[in-house]
Each structure stands twice: as structure tokens, then as C-alpha cells.
Amino acid sequence: MLRLLLLLSLLIPGVSFAAVLEGYAGARLQDEQSRPGVNYRLVLSELKRSQATTFGEHELRVKGDLTRRVWALPEHIPLEDVTQFFSEQLSGAETLYACDGLDCGSSHFWANEIFSNSRLVGRDPQQQYRVFKQPDAQGGTRVFVLYVVQRATRQVLVNLDELTTRDAVSVERDLAEQINQALTASHGWLPGFSVSRGQLNKTASEPLIRVLQELTPSLKRRLYLVVHCYEASHMADNIACSEQLAEQLRQATAAGEQQLNISGHGALTAAPHDGLQPALRFIFWPGR
């Protein structure tokens, strides 16, 4: 297949075929399809739920040519090994978003709403989602969306979408605008706070970190950030989680003489969503 695509790219002027990523060793290809000119729903953030509808806090609608492949893997292969295998093939690409396990929200959402494949429904704690992008040889952008999940039967499935588009694909600018817009209020929740496996995901949280670093000393003195965790059944564990994340965010945003006021308060404030993902609240004091 790869040789055929490369041959066609040479024979047909003006047509670009993206090189297909190598599949995991021992995996069985269950489905492969190519669709030109699709309107792709690209999720670049944690999930939210409102009025019985689940959606990404930050989504883009991107038009392009899509290649989708689904593999079934041999048993007992760690999800982390599979994700790393594909990530290494994209070592030069930019990571737009990454989440693991419960931080990815509902597996039903990804399987049915994003990939239209009910076979991908699996265990919420056993899933990994990645979005990469890199320039295309024809001046466009190639986007790779990887979803790895373990089903209730313990079978591991991999969905890999490869999208070639000329649309703008950027999470940083849009998120930075959302964060700055949120900070015009006196208090509220800040978007762009990403956590993976209980640790601050610095790559996915880069727009948030950069905005916070670039605040004026006066705003930093008045701004108080509060990290909340909700996953644990015991409040003490949620408080410990939030304090740890607060310290990681404090270190990540350290810039200039005036440091930010960041603390962790567990689940002592109701979550802004129906999920269990950690969240970041802010308040300016004195109030605006």
C-alpha cells in the first residue's frame, strides 16, 4: 500500500499522499478506509458535559482528506508501549493534545461521537489519546489522531486517523485567547489546565503556562489560582492531589520576580463539569 501511494504521488502531478505510519508489530488490521474532503471534528482539550451533551472544551472543525485504520493487538500489550511506538514515529511532530485514562473522559464519546466505531468502546481508565501535527510537503498540514483503548474483554484496539488539510490547525492561539478572555472576569474557571496520570501535562498546558508567565507583576499579586481534584473517594487524597498539582504549576509558571499565588483545595468546590478531571479556578483579590 505504501509503495502504491508513493508511486501515485509521482505519477499524478499536484496530488500529495501522506506516508502511512507503520503498524504495531503483531497487530491485525481490522479496518482501513480513505475519505476525501471530510469535515473532521478535532478535539484538543478535556471533555465537558452540559445538558446531557459531551463535547471538548476546545474543538476545531477541519476539512481535509482522511485515512483511518483500526488494529486489534495481541493480548497483554501495555497501552503505554503502543502509544510510545506511534509517538516515536512522529518524534519531529508537534503534540497538540494528550490525555490518559480517566483524564480522557468517556470512552463511549471517543468511540461513537468521534470515530463512529462502537468497537472502540472500552474501559475509561484504560485509554490514551494523542493529537500530533506536522507540515505537509504541499504546504498544508498533516494531523495524526491516535486513540488506544482496552476493551472489557482486555483486547486492545488502536484507531489512527491521518488527516491532510489546508485549514489552520492551532490550539495555542485559540486557547490563549480563551484564557485571556476568562481572566477579564473577577473569578471563574481557566481552560487549558491539562493533567495526565496525576501529573501536570506541561506540553498540553503550554498556552496556559505562557499566559500566566506573561501577566504583569500587578496582576500576579492579585491573582489567586486554586487547583481542584475530584477522582479520589477520600477528601484527603483529593487535597493531596491538588496540592501536588499546585506545586507543579507553581514551578512551571515561575518567571520574573513576582510569583503566582497557587494552592490546592481538593474537591472543596463543586466541579465545573460532570467528569473527574482536575480543574483550575481563579479569583482576583481584591475583586474587580
Side-chain angles (χ1 to χ4, degrees):
M1 175 64 72
L2 178 56
R3 291 181 180 178
L4 176 60
L5 291 176
L6 291 175
L7 178 60
L8 288 173
S9 67
L10 294 174
L11 295 177
I12 306 176
V15 176
S16 174
F17 292 89
V20 178
L21 297 187
E22 179 185 352
Y24 195 87
R28 177 170 54 88
L29 185 64
Q30 286 194 335
D31 186 38
E32 182 175 19
Q33 53 182 289
S34 296
R35 297 162 51 197
V38 302
N39 288 305
Y40 192 87
R41 183 179 178 184
L42 183 62
V43 178
L44 297 172
S45 68
E46 66 182 26
L47 303 184
K48 298 184 68 175
R49 187 169 177 82
S50 177
Q51 298 180 349
T53 301
T54 301
F55 55 93
E57 187 174 23
H58 179 63
E59 295 187 6
L60 296 177
R61 294 287 181 171
V62 183
K63 185 174 182 179
D65 298 332
L66 173 67
T67 297
R68 171 169 291 167
R69 292 188 290 168
V70 180
W71 292 275
L73 273 63
E75 296 182 1
H76 309 302
I77 294 181
L79 271 63
E80 295 80 3
D81 292 354
V82 181
T83 301
Q84 182 179 358
F85 171 80
F86 286 100
S87 299
E88 288 176 351
Q89 295 185 66
L90 294 165
S91 59
E94 177 184 355
T95 302
L96 295 182
Y97 183 65
C99 67
D100 297 327
L102 294 174
D103 292 335
C104 297
S106 168
S107 174
H108 285 268
F109 169 81
W110 297 109
N112 297 312
E113 298 295 328
I114 300 302
F115 303 117
S116 301
N117 185 353
S118 60
R119 289 179 297 174
L120 293 172
V121 174
R123 303 179 175 189
D124 290 351
Q126 299 297 324
Q127 57 178 335
Q128 298 191 351
Y129 175 78
R130 301 286 188 274
V131 181
F132 307 89
K133 82 166 185 177
Q134 64 182 24
D136 179 72
Q138 303 300 317
T141 300
R142 296 172 63 196
V143 180
F144 300 85
V145 180
L146 176 70
Y147 184 67
V148 185
V149 65
Q150 183 185 84
R151 304 181 67 192
T153 59
R154 296 190 178 277
Q155 179 188 41
V156 175
L157 296 181
V158 176
N159 185 103
L160 177 65
D161 286 355
E162 302 183 32
L163 184 74
T164 302
T165 179
R166 290 191 173 275
D167 292 349
V169 181
S170 174
V171 64
E172 181 173 337
R173 183 185 69 253
D174 293 339
L175 262 182
E177 291 174 358
Q178 293 180 42
I179 295 164
N180 280 310
Q181 180 62 36
L183 289 172
T184 61
S186 60
H187 60 86
W189 298 94
L190 281 181
F193 183 65
S194 180
V195 177
S196 297
R197 301 184 193 176
Q199 304 294 315
L200 177 68
N201 187 327
K202 293 182 181 179
T203 299
S205 300
E206 176 61 26
L208 172 66
I209 292 172
R210 184 171 300 179
V211 168
L212 294 176
Q213 287 177 331
E214 293 175 353
L215 292 176
T216 65
S218 174
L219 287 178
K220 286 184 178 181
R221 281 192 292 269
R222 298 177 51 232
L223 178 63
Y224 286 80
L225 300 173
V226 185
V227 178
H228 295 281
C229 288
Y230 300 96
E231 184 175 346
S233 57
H234 298 288
M235 183 61 73
D237 294 332
N238 285 319
I239 292 176
C241 163
S242 63
E243 290 177 342
Q244 175 179 305
L245 291 174
E247 177 58 28
Q248 293 173 7
L249 183 60
R250 187 179 300 111
Q251 294 178 11
T253 56
E257 297 181 1
Q258 183 62 47
Q259 302 303 308
L260 289 163
N261 306 291
I262 309 175
S263 58
H265 285 188
L268 296 177
T269 294
H273 43 64
D274 293 338
L276 299 176
Q277 301 94 339
L280 181 65
R281 187 166 176 80
F282 76 94
I283 183 170
F284 281 100
W285 188 263
R288 291 183 176 179

